[in-house]
PDB file of all heavy atoms in Angstrom:
ATOM      1  N   PRO A 296     117.509 146.270 123.271  1.00 98.00           N
ATOM      2  CA  PRO A 296     116.937 147.585 123.821  1.00 98.00           C
ATOM      3  C   PRO A 296     115.466 147.641 123.544  1.00 98.00           C
ATOM      4  O   PRO A 296     114.754 148.500 124.082  1.00 98.00           O
ATOM      5  CB  PRO A 296     117.721 148.626 123.006  1.00 98.00           C
ATOM      6  CG  PRO A 296     118.167 147.929 121.769  1.00 98.00           C
ATOM      7  CD  PRO A 296     118.360 146.507 122.137  1.00 98.00           C
ATOM      8  N   VAL A 297     114.888 146.704 122.699  1.00 98.00           N
ATOM      9  CA  VAL A 297     113.449 146.746 122.434  1.00 98.00           C
ATOM     10  C   VAL A 297     112.830 145.398 122.879  1.00 98.00           C
ATOM     11  O   VAL A 297     113.324 144.355 122.569  1.00 98.00           O
ATOM     12  CB  VAL A 297     113.205 146.931 120.938  1.00 98.00           C
ATOM     13  CG1 VAL A 297     111.703 146.878 120.647  1.00 98.00           C
ATOM     14  CG2 VAL A 297     113.795 148.269 120.527  1.00 98.00           C
ATOM     15  N   VAL A 320     104.288 148.696 129.811  1.00 97.00           N
ATOM     16  CA  VAL A 320     105.073 149.539 128.932  1.00 97.00           C
ATOM     17  C   VAL A 320     106.052 150.385 129.750  1.00 97.00           C
ATOM     18  O   VAL A 320     107.207 150.584 129.551  1.00 97.00           O
ATOM     19  CB  VAL A 320     104.180 150.274 127.923  1.00 97.00           C
ATOM     20  CG1 VAL A 320     105.114 151.409 127.207  1.00 97.00           C
ATOM     21  CG2 VAL A 320     103.607 149.390 126.917  1.00 97.00           C
ATOM     22  N   HIS A 324     110.095 150.725 130.175  1.00 98.00           N
ATOM     23  CA  HIS A 324     110.807 152.013 129.979  1.00 98.00           C
ATOM     24  C   HIS A 324     111.613 152.310 131.203  1.00 98.00           C
ATOM     25  O   HIS A 324     112.726 152.900 131.153  1.00 98.00           O
ATOM     26  CB  HIS A 324     109.871 153.035 129.540  1.00 98.00           C
ATOM     27  CG  HIS A 324     109.251 152.848 128.167  1.00 98.00           C
ATOM     28  ND1 HIS A 324     108.580 153.752 127.439  1.00 98.00           N
ATOM     29  CD2 HIS A 324     109.439 151.830 127.324  1.00 98.00           C
ATOM     30  CE1 HIS A 324     108.229 153.293 126.279  1.00 98.00           C
ATOM     31  NE2 HIS A 324     108.727 152.168 126.153  1.00 98.00           N
ATOM     32  N   ARG A 328     114.518 150.150 128.754  1.00 98.00           N
ATOM     33  CA  ARG A 328     114.282 149.495 127.435  1.00 98.00           C
ATOM     34  C   ARG A 328     113.069 150.294 126.746  1.00 98.00           C
ATOM     35  O   ARG A 328     112.462 151.052 127.437  1.00 98.00           O
ATOM     36  CB  ARG A 328     113.913 148.005 127.602  1.00 98.00           C
ATOM     37  CG  ARG A 328     114.854 147.162 128.454  1.00 98.00           C
ATOM     38  CD  ARG A 328     116.230 147.037 127.830  1.00 98.00           C
ATOM     39  NE  ARG A 328     117.030 146.143 128.677  1.00 98.00           N
ATOM     40  CZ  ARG A 328     117.149 144.844 128.598  1.00 98.00           C
ATOM     41  NH1 ARG A 328     116.440 144.239 127.602  1.00 98.00           N
ATOM     42  NH2 ARG A 328     117.868 144.155 129.418  1.00 98.00           N
ATOM     43  N   ARG A 329     112.863 149.913 125.538  1.00 98.00           N
ATOM     44  CA  ARG A 329     111.739 150.459 124.822  1.00 98.00           C
ATOM     45  C   ARG A 329     110.641 149.408 124.473  1.00 98.00           C
ATOM     46  O   ARG A 329     111.093 148.305 124.063  1.00 98.00           O
ATOM     47  CB  ARG A 329     112.155 151.164 123.439  1.00 98.00           C
ATOM     48  CG  ARG A 329     113.053 152.278 123.650  1.00 98.00           C
ATOM     49  CD  ARG A 329     113.447 152.975 122.281  1.00 98.00           C
ATOM     50  NE  ARG A 329     112.223 153.691 121.728  1.00 98.00           N
ATOM     51  CZ  ARG A 329     112.193 154.252 120.494  1.00 98.00           C
ATOM     52  NH1 ARG A 329     113.381 154.217 119.797  1.00 98.00           N
ATOM     53  NH2 ARG A 329     111.221 154.889 120.095  1.00 98.00           N
ATOM     54  N   ALA A 330     109.433 149.684 124.601  1.00 98.00           N
ATOM     55  CA  ALA A 330     108.384 148.697 124.345  1.00 98.00           C
ATOM     56  C   ALA A 330     108.018 148.874 122.864  1.00 98.00           C
ATOM     57  O   ALA A 330     107.999 149.938 122.316  1.00 98.00           O
ATOM     58  CB  ALA A 330     107.181 148.921 125.184  1.00 98.00           C
ATOM     59  N   LEU A 331     107.740 147.672 122.213  1.00 98.00           N
ATOM     60  CA  LEU A 331     107.194 147.592 120.850  1.00 98.00           C
ATOM     61  C   LEU A 331     105.863 147.008 121.006  1.00 98.00           C
ATOM     62  O   LEU A 331     105.683 145.940 121.664  1.00 98.00           O
ATOM     63  CB  LEU A 331     108.152 146.735 120.016  1.00 98.00           C
ATOM     64  CG  LEU A 331     107.618 146.279 118.681  1.00 98.00           C
ATOM     65  CD1 LEU A 331     107.534 147.444 117.676  1.00 98.00           C
ATOM     66  CD2 LEU A 331     108.560 145.167 118.067  1.00 98.00           C
ATOM     67  N   LEU A 343     100.018 156.469 124.846  1.00 90.00           N
ATOM     68  CA  LEU A 343     101.181 155.640 125.321  1.00 90.00           C
ATOM     69  C   LEU A 343     102.378 156.536 125.546  1.00 90.00           C
ATOM     70  O   LEU A 343     102.407 157.715 124.986  1.00 90.00           O
ATOM     71  CB  LEU A 343     101.467 154.592 124.269  1.00 90.00           C
ATOM     72  CG  LEU A 343     100.510 153.426 124.119  1.00 90.00           C
ATOM     73  CD1 LEU A 343     100.702 152.833 122.811  1.00 90.00           C
ATOM     74  CD2 LEU A 343     100.665 152.438 125.237  1.00 90.00           C
ATOM     75  N   PRO A 344     103.330 156.120 126.258  1.00 93.00           N
ATOM     76  CA  PRO A 344     104.668 156.882 126.350  1.00 93.00           C
ATOM     77  C   PRO A 344     105.196 157.094 124.949  1.00 93.00           C
ATOM     78  O   PRO A 344     105.112 156.246 124.101  1.00 93.00           O
ATOM     79  CB  PRO A 344     105.525 155.938 127.110  1.00 93.00           C
ATOM     80  CG  PRO A 344     104.580 155.200 128.038  1.00 93.00           C
ATOM     81  CD  PRO A 344     103.383 154.947 127.182  1.00 93.00           C
ATOM     82  N   ARG A 345     105.710 158.219 124.758  1.00 92.00           N
ATOM     83  CA  ARG A 345     106.180 158.625 123.307  1.00 92.00           C
ATOM     84  C   ARG A 345     107.235 157.671 122.782  1.00 92.00           C
ATOM     85  O   ARG A 345     107.323 157.430 121.646  1.00 92.00           O
ATOM     86  CB  ARG A 345     106.765 160.016 123.369  1.00 92.00           C
ATOM     87  CG  ARG A 345     107.125 160.599 121.978  1.00 92.00           C
ATOM     88  CD  ARG A 345     105.975 160.729 121.091  1.00 92.00           C
ATOM     89  NE  ARG A 345     104.917 161.633 121.609  1.00 92.00           N
ATOM     90  CZ  ARG A 345     104.906 162.998 121.485  1.00 92.00           C
ATOM     91  NH1 ARG A 345     105.894 163.519 120.799  1.00 92.00           N
ATOM     92  NH2 ARG A 345     103.925 163.742 121.998  1.00 92.00           N
ATOM     93  N   ASP A 346     108.008 156.993 123.715  1.00 95.00           N
ATOM     94  CA  ASP A 346     109.079 156.167 123.193  1.00 95.00           C
ATOM     95  C   ASP A 346     108.609 154.824 122.692  1.00 95.00           C
ATOM     96  O   ASP A 346     109.406 154.006 122.305  1.00 95.00           O
ATOM     97  CB  ASP A 346     110.198 155.929 124.296  1.00 95.00           C
ATOM     98  CG  ASP A 346     111.053 157.154 124.455  1.00 95.00           C
ATOM     99  OD1 ASP A 346     111.029 158.054 123.625  1.00 95.00           O
ATOM    100  OD2 ASP A 346     111.774 157.214 125.503  1.00 95.00           O
ATOM    101  N   THR A 347     107.355 154.512 122.971  1.00 97.00           N
ATOM    102  CA  THR A 347     106.877 153.269 122.444  1.00 97.00           C
ATOM    103  C   THR A 347     106.833 153.096 120.935  1.00 97.00           C
ATOM    104  O   THR A 347     106.417 153.952 120.216  1.00 97.00           O
ATOM    105  CB  THR A 347     105.271 153.040 122.928  1.00 97.00           C
ATOM    106  OG1 THR A 347     105.130 153.354 124.267  1.00 97.00           O
ATOM    107  CG2 THR A 347     104.817 151.726 122.661  1.00 97.00           C
ATOM    108  N   ILE A 348     107.374 151.943 120.456  1.00 98.00           N
ATOM    109  CA  ILE A 348     107.523 151.704 119.016  1.00 98.00           C
ATOM    110  C   ILE A 348     106.220 151.005 118.532  1.00 98.00           C
ATOM    111  O   ILE A 348     105.702 150.106 119.267  1.00 98.00           O
ATOM    112  CB  ILE A 348     108.770 150.954 118.680  1.00 98.00           C
ATOM    113  CG1 ILE A 348     109.967 151.670 119.184  1.00 98.00           C
ATOM    114  CG2 ILE A 348     108.848 150.608 117.270  1.00 98.00           C
ATOM    115  CD1 ILE A 348     111.270 150.774 119.183  1.00 98.00           C
ATOM    116  N   ILE A 349     105.706 151.402 117.368  1.00 97.00           N
ATOM    117  CA  ILE A 349     104.446 150.789 116.815  1.00 97.00           C
ATOM    118  C   ILE A 349     104.808 149.855 115.630  1.00 97.00           C
ATOM    119  O   ILE A 349     105.499 150.372 114.696  1.00 97.00           O
ATOM    120  CB  ILE A 349     103.450 151.842 116.380  1.00 97.00           C
ATOM    121  CG1 ILE A 349     103.187 152.749 117.566  1.00 97.00           C
ATOM    122  CG2 ILE A 349     102.169 151.162 115.910  1.00 97.00           C
ATOM    123  CD1 ILE A 349     102.649 152.115 118.769  1.00 97.00           C
ATOM    124  N   GLY A 365     104.076 161.065 117.040  1.00 95.00           N
ATOM    125  CA  GLY A 365     105.402 161.170 117.544  1.00 95.00           C
ATOM    126  C   GLY A 365     106.088 159.760 117.853  1.00 95.00           C
ATOM    127  O   GLY A 365     107.204 159.764 118.410  1.00 95.00           O
ATOM    128  N   HIS A 366     105.476 158.644 117.491  1.00 96.00           N
ATOM    129  CA  HIS A 366     106.010 157.397 117.775  1.00 96.00           C
ATOM    130  C   HIS A 366     106.954 156.955 116.584  1.00 96.00           C
ATOM    131  O   HIS A 366     106.769 157.266 115.436  1.00 96.00           O
ATOM    132  CB  HIS A 366     104.879 156.275 117.885  1.00 96.00           C
ATOM    133  CG  HIS A 366     104.034 156.529 119.072  1.00 96.00           C
ATOM    134  ND1 HIS A 366     104.505 156.256 120.394  1.00 96.00           N
ATOM    135  CD2 HIS A 366     102.789 157.012 119.289  1.00 96.00           C
ATOM    136  CE1 HIS A 366     103.620 156.492 121.236  1.00 96.00           C
ATOM    137  NE2 HIS A 366     102.441 156.962 120.574  1.00 96.00           N
ATOM    138  N   ASP A 367     108.022 156.154 116.882  1.00 98.00           N
ATOM    139  CA  ASP A 367     108.699 155.489 115.856  1.00 98.00           C
ATOM    140  C   ASP A 367     107.942 154.275 115.441  1.00 98.00           C
ATOM    141  O   ASP A 367     107.167 153.651 116.186  1.00 98.00           O
ATOM    142  CB  ASP A 367     110.099 154.995 116.399  1.00 98.00           C
ATOM    143  CG  ASP A 367     110.969 156.277 116.606  1.00 98.00           C
ATOM    144  OD1 ASP A 367     110.775 157.309 115.978  1.00 98.00           O
ATOM    145  OD2 ASP A 367     111.986 156.119 117.379  1.00 98.00           O
ATOM    146  N   LEU A 414     111.592 153.461 111.452  1.00 98.00           N
ATOM    147  CA  LEU A 414     112.784 152.766 111.860  1.00 98.00           C
ATOM    148  C   LEU A 414     113.231 151.808 110.780  1.00 98.00           C
ATOM    149  O   LEU A 414     114.390 151.534 110.558  1.00 98.00           O
ATOM    150  CB  LEU A 414     112.636 152.020 113.141  1.00 98.00           C
ATOM    151  CG  LEU A 414     112.313 152.837 114.457  1.00 98.00           C
ATOM    152  CD1 LEU A 414     112.243 151.996 115.654  1.00 98.00           C
ATOM    153  CD2 LEU A 414     113.428 153.904 114.687  1.00 98.00           C
TER     154      LEU A 414
END
Side-chain angles (χ1 to χ4, degrees):
V297 178
V320 168
H324 288 191
R328 311 293 182 92
R329 296 182 70 183
L331 167 72
L343 290 160
R345 185 66 60 87
D346 285 348
T347 308
I348 302 169
I349 305 302
H366 293 286
D367 288 338
L414 298 181

